[in-house]
Amino acid sequence: MAIELYVNLAKTTLAAPLSNAATSCTVVSSTGFPAPSAGQQFRALIDLELIIVTAVSGTTWTITRAAEGTAAVAHLLGSTVYQPLTAASLTASSLQTIQPQTATSFA
């Protein structure tokens, strides 16, 4: 199971139209979104379709379409993309092992 990544208030738009069969998309900016490494992912919402983003290279994202029962549909240039909090992402997070954090000294 992949590790779910989260950020607050990440939002961008599609830099190119997205067909219903595409496995990658180009966004205007990836700034503010997670940068998944191997075994990590985050979810994004485009219109009413949830996608799972498994890799980010600049402004190109590798995606899995139609997550959580949504339909893979075409999306227009300029469609809004943001990271929602979903039931499945919360369930996945609750199953993840919590890694201990190293304390930082603030002398």
Side-chain angles (χ1 to χ4, degrees):
M1 174 178 286
I3 295 172
E4 291 285 331
L5 302 176
Y6 300 94
V7 295
N8 291 323
L9 307 174
K11 183 177 176 182
T12 190
T13 57
L14 290 178
L18 184 63
S19 76
N20 65 333
T23 58
S24 66
C25 67
T26 304
V27 295
V28 170
S29 174
S30 294
T31 302
F33 283 90
S37 351
Q40 298 178 332
Q41 66 185 28
F42 69 90
R43 295 165 199 263
L45 186 68
I46 307 172
D47 300 323
L48 296 176
E49 180 185 358
L50 278 168
I51 62 172
I52 297 175
V53 181
T54 56
V56 173
S57 178
T59 57
T60 301
W61 296 357
T62 303
I63 59 175
T64 301
R65 304 295 297 273
E68 298 184 42
T70 62
V73 297
H75 301 282
L76 301 174
L77 164 77
S79 294
T80 301
V81 182
Y82 69 94
Q83 185 182 23
L85 189 59
T86 70
S89 65
L90 286 172
T91 300
S93 291
S94 71
L95 299 174
Q96 292 174 185
T97 303
I98 297 175
Q99 300 297 320
Q101 300 294 310
T102 303
T104 302
S105 174
F106 296 101

